[in-house]
């Protein structure tokens, strides 16, 4: 993960995280940053009073590498939650995937970002576009996920497929869903039930579903958690890199 370098100098691999509020998107970003930098970070602001979306702005997170001016070539875009009525519009997620949404845009729940808006990027380049779509869902409430949210996830998935964006799902908070996993995180490798259920529901293949536990209460880093987070990131980066290479070798898609 630390050594990853895109083939073109200056290229960024953009990972877009979406999913219900409180799913653990910000925690996952913080965890990746903590693992690669070797100490705890809470840069992406985690909200611990679950309920409404805490993230309402389109925000890109970069991870510093060495000195303050250099960053890892993979970046995360965090998008507001996908709740039934108060969540981000699917049409805005699509605009974000195509690179049309500028950083800092505050999502409007009533109407989609218009081309006249100052936050609308009319000519997104390869760095603005999304290269991997990550759907984040919490294991503990997976079974009770409202049908509307499942439908939104499915719609976004279809759009991403049409745009040629690879996608994975993260099943977070695995420690809350399974006592065996809480006891020993390594037991996660034996559990298939959640992956199977989710795969059928939203149509993401089993080998693209990753269970993770993010840092949320720990004070120190832990090898088992690091392994899970890093192996997930390695897969995400590989898929994103394939997408970048495909795009830079085919004629730039007109979005
Ligand atoms: N037990 C547990 N709690 C988690 C995990 N990941 C996140 N959380 C908690 O879930 C809550 C919401 O997380 P957050 O990252 O803000 O979700 P977001 O709205 O998707 O960005 C916070 O209180 C986190 O501490 C996890 O892997 N295990
Ligand atoms: Mg968040």
């Amino acid at each position: 993960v630390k050594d990853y370098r895109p083939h073109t100098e200056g290229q960024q691999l953009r990972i877009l995280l979406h999913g219900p509020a409180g799913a653990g998107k910000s925690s996952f970003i913080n965890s990746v940053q903590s693992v690669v930098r070797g100490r705890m970070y809470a840069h992406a602001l985690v909200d611990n009073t679950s309920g409404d979306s805490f993230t309402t702005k389109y925000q890109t997170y970069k991870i510093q590498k060495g000195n303050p001016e250099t960053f890892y070539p993979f970046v995360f875009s965090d998008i507001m939650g996908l709740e039934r009525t108060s969540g981000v519009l699917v049409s805005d997620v699509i605009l974000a995937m195509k690179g049309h949404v500028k950083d800092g845009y505050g999502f409007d729940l009533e109407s989609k970002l218009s081309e006249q808006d100052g936050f609308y990027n009319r000519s997104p380049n390869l760095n603005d576009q999304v290269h991997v779509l990550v759907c984040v869902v919490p294991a503990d409430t997976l079974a009770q996920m409202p049908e509307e949210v499942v439908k939104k996830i499915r719609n976004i998935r279809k759009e991403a497929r049409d745009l040629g964006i690879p996608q994975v799902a993260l099943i977070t908070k695995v420690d809350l869903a399974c006592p065996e996993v809480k006891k020993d995180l390594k037991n996660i490798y034996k559990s298939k039930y959640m992956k199977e259920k989710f795969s059928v529901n939203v149509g993401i293949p089993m080998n693209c579903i990753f269970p993770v536990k993010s840092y949320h209460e720990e004070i120190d880093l832990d090898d088992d958690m690091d392994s899970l987070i890093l192996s997930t990131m390695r897969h995400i980066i590989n898929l994103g890199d394939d997408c970048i290479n495909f795009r830079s070798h085919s004629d730039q898609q007109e979005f």
Side-chain angles (χ1 to χ4, degrees):
V1 170
K2 282 185 173 173
D3 292 341
Y4 168 67
R5 254 179 218 84
H7 296 285
T8 324
E9 187 67 30
Q11 172 69 54
Q12 244 174 35
L13 189 156
R14 189 177 291 274
I15 302 162
L16 177 67
L17 298 158
H18 78 99
K25 296 178 289 298
S26 307
S27 302
F28 180 72
I29 299 173
N30 288 336
S31 297
V32 173
Q33 169 148 342
S34 301
V35 178
V36 298
R37 303 212 63 197
R39 72 154 174 94
M40 285 304 169
Y41 275 89
H43 177 58
L45 294 180
V46 171
D47 181 24
N48 54 18
T49 58
S50 69
D52 280 342
S53 260
F54 184 59
T55 310
T56 54
K57 283 196 169 133
Y58 191 61
Q59 184 108 43
T60 297
Y61 295 96
K62 296 181 177 187
I63 299 177
Q64 198 184 306
K65 187 180 194 178
N67 67 52
E69 286 89 50
T70 52
F71 296 92
Y72 283 96
F74 53 85
V75 301
F76 295 96
S77 293
D78 188 5
I79 208 166
M80 175 184 186
L82 283 176
E83 21 292 314
R84 257 173 297 190
T85 48
S86 58
V88 67
L89 299 172
V90 172
S91 47
D92 276 340
V93 181
I94 296 165
L95 287 180
M97 291 196 284
K98 294 177 176 175
H100 287 302
V101 183
K102 288 189 190 166
D103 239 39
Y105 173 63
F107 288 102
D108 182 343
L109 309 181
E110 318 266 90
S111 61
K112 118 182 207 198
L113 173 62
S114 90
E115 290 187 27
Q116 278 70 45
D117 199 294
F119 283 101
Y120 189 95
N121 179 354
R122 282 164 186 275
S123 43
N125 61 30
L126 203 53
N127 279 352
D128 300 318
Q129 297 167 9
V130 168
H131 306 107
V132 203
L133 178 68
V134 180
C135 170
V136 184
V137 286
D140 57 329
T141 55
L142 201 55
Q144 299 99 283
M145 197 152 66
E147 183 51 35
E148 289 93 331
V149 175
V150 175
K151 217 190 260 168
K152 273 189 171 181
I153 294 176
R154 242 188 264 136
N155 288 341
I156 292 171
R157 208 187 79 74
K158 279 191 208 129
E159 290 290 338
R161 188 193 54 201
D162 295 345
L163 293 171
I165 299 172
Q167 36 200 317
V168 305
L170 292 190
I171 300 186
T172 57
K173 308 191 189 181
V174 286
D175 52 312
L176 293 182
C178 174
E180 289 304 310
V181 173
K182 192 175 170 70
K183 228 182 339 178
D184 182 357
L185 189 59
K186 288 198 259 327
N187 283 328
I188 194 67
Y189 299 107
K190 298 182 194 153
S191 156
K192 272 208 315 205
Y193 171 74
M194 282 183 294
K195 291 207 313 188
E196 272 166 5
K197 192 162 169 19
F198 187 69
S199 178
V200 172
N201 256 350
V202 300
I204 293 181
M206 290 275 286
N207 59 0
C208 291
I209 300 179
F210 302 95
V212 289
K213 181 186 171 205
S214 294
Y215 286 106
H216 62 105
E217 59 177 11
E218 298 72 10
I219 294 167
D220 294 310
L221 293 168
D222 169 273
D223 285 348
D224 289 338
M225 286 179 70
D226 287 2
S227 307
L228 204 52
I229 291 163
L230 287 175
S231 77
T232 302
M233 272 308 288
R234 191 63 245 178
H235 282 100
I236 292 176
I237 288 174
N238 286 345
L239 288 166
D241 196 53
D242 292 343
C243 177
I244 291 177
N245 294 333
F246 180 77
R247 285 199 186 152
S248 49
H249 289 113
S250 60
D251 283 335
Q252 255 289 305
Q253 267 170 288
E254 200 48 59
F255 284 149

